[in-house]
Amino acid sequence: RVEVLGACMLMDLSDFLVELFKHETDHMAGFWKLVRRGKSNRTREVELAHLTPIGTGEGSELRVAELDLPVGGALKWVYDFGDWYEYKLQLEAVAQPEAAPSTGDYPRVVGANKPKLLYCASCQAQGKRIVAVWCCWDCSNEQGETVMLCEACSRLSEHEGHYLEEWV
C-alpha cells in the first residue's frame, strides 16, 4: 500500500515505483486509466502519460488529483516497454492527511504483503535453508528452472560473468 498526495505528478509517482520495485532507471514508462465498460468487469484503457527516463514526456506533469479516479478506480503503470513490466494500481481511499504533509514524505509505503521467501538452490542441496536474494538467469536457462542464490553463493566463481538479477 502506498500513500500519495493528490498534488503528486505522474512523473514523481513513476520514479517512486521504479525505485520501489528496484527497476533500472533508464527506461520509459506509461500510465493508462482503466475505465469500466458499463456494469461488466471489462475495461478500456485511456492513455494518460508516456514518460522518459530524464523526467519529461507527455503527461509527466499531470497530477494524481486531476485523474478523477473514483474509489475503486484503477490505473495501469507499465515500465520498460521492451520487457513490459505491468502493474495495476487501485485507489482504495481518499482522505485528508492527519497533519500538514511535507511533500518530501510522499509517496510512501504504508503496508506490504508478507513476502514469499525463496531459498538458495546451492544451499538447499547442502541441507541449509538460506534466503535467496539473486536469480541467476544463465543457470536458470541452462537448467530449465529458476535458480535462486543467496548473497554468498552469488559471488562464487561458477556464477562469475553470469547475468544475476536481484530478487525483489
Side-chain angles (χ1 to χ4, degrees):
R1 287 202 162 90
V2 174
E3 285 184 348
V4 178
L5 293 177
C8 180
M9 292 186 290
L10 289 183
M11 187 74 231
D12 296 330
L13 178 57
S14 183
D15 288 345
F16 173 80
L17 295 170
V18 167
E19 185 176 319
L20 179 66
F21 292 113
K22 299 184 179 182
H23 289 300
E24 296 173 356
T25 59
D26 59 348
H27 295 284
M28 292 185 68
F31 283 96
W32 290 260
K33 185 175 180 179
L34 301 177
V35 179
R36 226 172 140 171
R37 292 177 179 245
K39 294 182 181 184
S40 74
N41 288 331
R42 296 181 343 151
T43 58
R44 65 183 171 88
E45 298 177 359
V46 176
E47 187 176 328
L48 298 173
H50 272 94
L51 311 171
T52 70
I54 60 170
T56 61
E58 186 177 331
S60 64
E61 295 184 1
L62 191 59
R63 298 186 185 280
V64 171
E66 297 172 329
L67 303 179
D68 195 30
L69 272 179
V71 172
L75 298 176
K76 178 171 85 170
W77 177 65
V78 173
Y79 186 73
D80 185 350
F81 296 146
D83 286 335
W84 200 267
Y85 296 100
E86 184 175 320
Y87 301 83
K88 182 179 178 183
L89 312 174
Q90 188 165 12
L91 180 63
E92 291 184 350
V94 175
Q96 292 296 319
E98 293 173 11
S102 166
T103 56
D105 294 338
Y106 291 90
R108 65 183 181 189
V109 175
V110 294
N113 295 336
K114 184 177 177 183
K116 179 182 175 187
L117 299 177
L118 299 175
Y119 297 98
C120 175
S122 299
C123 292
Q124 276 186 313
Q126 299 171 16
K128 300 182 225 169
R129 287 176 51 105
I130 308 293
V131 174
V133 292
W134 296 97
C135 178
C136 180
W137 290 112
D138 290 318
C139 292
S140 296
N141 291 334
E142 184 179 296
Q143 296 177 25
E145 62 184 16
T146 305
V147 175
M148 303 300 297
L149 302 170
C150 66
E151 190 68 46
C153 291
S154 72
R155 290 190 227 112
L156 296 174
S157 62
E158 65 189 81
H159 298 289
E160 189 175 329
H162 285 193
Y163 177 62
L164 300 177
E165 190 167 41
E166 187 174 8
W167 194 254
V168 180

